[in-house]
């Protein structure tokens, strides 16, 4: 089952010379902007510039029957640490009321400028970066219409598993 969040990025907020010593510190900076502009909106963020250090993970391709992500990460993920890379962090913020349908809060991914390295961000250090945010006040959701989706039980509370996967 493929899940994605897609938007046409249109920066509403911009800050230059952003520095953060960790992913937690970057999320604090992003959260201060969210508090100022509205916690119940969706946000996409781009952080571009040099990453003195960044730790990312990537999962191996999965085949049917698909394992839950928290199980797949126990055996099928690789972690990579990179230094002094230019690239872009793309982050999605979902408001708390979306918890259960999507992961509430910030979810960060990284891609190097040359397109050869990236993944889900576990930790980072950013230096003198440009931060742009797009406030997204509407969304459309499309669900697959096929047996594998329609027959799957989605009523299970996955909060604990999601917190494990997201490192919260």
């Amino acid at each position: 089952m493929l899940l994605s969040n897609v938007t046409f990025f249109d920066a509403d907020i911009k800050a230059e010379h952003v520095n953060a010593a960790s992913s937690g510190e970057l999320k604090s900076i992003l959260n201060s902007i969210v508090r100022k502009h509205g916690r119940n909106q969706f946000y996409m963020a781009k952080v571009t510039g040099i990453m003195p250090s960044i730790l990312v993970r990537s999962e191996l391709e999965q085949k049917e029957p698909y394992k839950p992500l928290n199980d797949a990460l126990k055996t099928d993920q690789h972690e990579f640490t990179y230094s002094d890379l230019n690239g872009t962090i793309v982050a999605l913020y979902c408001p708390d009321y979306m918890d259960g349908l999507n992961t509430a809060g910030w979810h960060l991914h990284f891609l190097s400028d040359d397109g050869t390295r990236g993944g889900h961000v576990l930790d980072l250090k950013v230096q003198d970066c440009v931060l742009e945010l797009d406030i997204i006040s509407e969304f459309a959701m499309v669900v697959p219409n096929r047996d594998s989706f329609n027959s799957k039980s989605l009523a299970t509370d996955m909060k604990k598993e999601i917190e494990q996967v997201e490192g919260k």
Side-chain angles (χ1 to χ4, degrees), residues 93-154:
Y93 173 87
C94 290
D96 287 341
Y97 63 85
M98 292 299 294
D99 201 24
L101 186 58
N102 208 325
T103 304
W106 288 101
H107 184 94
L108 287 72
H109 283 100
F110 171 75
L111 183 62
S112 63
D113 281 354
D114 65 7
T116 63
R117 292 165 279 189
H120 175 86
V121 175
L122 298 173
D123 204 7
L124 57 73
K125 182 176 181 181
V126 297
Q127 180 180 323
D128 201 29
C129 287
V130 175
L131 168 66
E132 298 174 285
L133 280 95
D134 184 10
I135 303 171
I136 302 168
S137 59
E138 61 183 71
F139 74 96
M141 188 166 90
V142 178
V143 296
N145 187 11
R146 59 178 169 264
D147 290 342
S148 62
F149 179 80
N150 292 333
S151 63
K152 187 166 184 66
S153 173
L154 299 175

Side-chain angles (χ1 to χ4, degrees), residues 27 57 68-71 73-74 77 96 99-107 120-122 156-168:
K27 287 178 183 180
R57 75 155 185 250
L69 183 57
N70 60 318
D71 290 338
L73 292 180
K74 291 175 187 172
Q77 83 166 338
D96 287 341
D99 201 24
L101 186 58
N102 208 325
T103 304
W106 288 101
H107 184 94
H120 175 86
V121 175
L122 298 173
T156 306
D157 182 1
M158 300 289 292
K159 189 172 185 89
K160 182 178 170 186
E161 288 83 358
I162 290 170
E163 287 175 355
Q164 261 184 326
V165 168
E166 293 299 321
K168 292 184 180 180

